[in-house]
Amino acid sequence: MSDYPRDLSGLSGPELVRLLLDATRTPPLTDAERADFFDFKARVFAMIADRDGNPAASRFAARARADRDRLLARIENENRGEW
């Protein structure tokens, strides 16, 4: 289970950025941890985009979701090979 907070709605923009920066201090080691990080990153940038109407934040969120999906597909593919 993720150590990243699920509910980001009560956090300010600077608090969201601080959380994201804190999350990068210990780099994720496994694909599952990376996917979890990219999910968190996508949620942070989506929240910023929604609040500020920031198109750059929307692009960052979309990129993080794509990275997450790529890693999840790799994990699923590797798990199929183990059966």
Side-chain angles (χ1 to χ4, degrees):
M1 177 120 160
S2 170
D3 289 336
Y4 305 117
R6 295 300 311 163
D7 183 13
L8 303 173
S9 61
L11 301 174
S12 68
E15 289 171 325
L16 289 169
V17 172
R18 208 169 299 120
L19 272 177
L20 185 59
L21 291 174
D22 286 346
T24 63
R25 288 195 179 147
T26 305
L29 301 176
T30 67
D31 282 346
E33 289 173 347
R34 286 184 195 96
D36 196 32
F37 169 75
F38 283 120
D39 180 66
F40 175 65
K41 183 177 179 180
R43 291 185 298 112
V44 166
F45 280 111
M47 181 69 67
I48 292 170
D50 288 345
R51 286 184 184 168
D52 300 340
N54 184 327
S58 292
R59 287 191 302 274
F60 294 144
R63 176 64 188 262
R65 283 191 293 274
D67 290 339
R68 176 205 59 205
D69 293 346
R70 178 182 48 81
L71 286 164
L72 291 175
R74 183 187 322 172
I75 292 167
E76 183 177 323
N77 189 38
E78 289 173 357
N79 287 340
R80 272 193 227 148
E82 292 178 8
W83 297 105

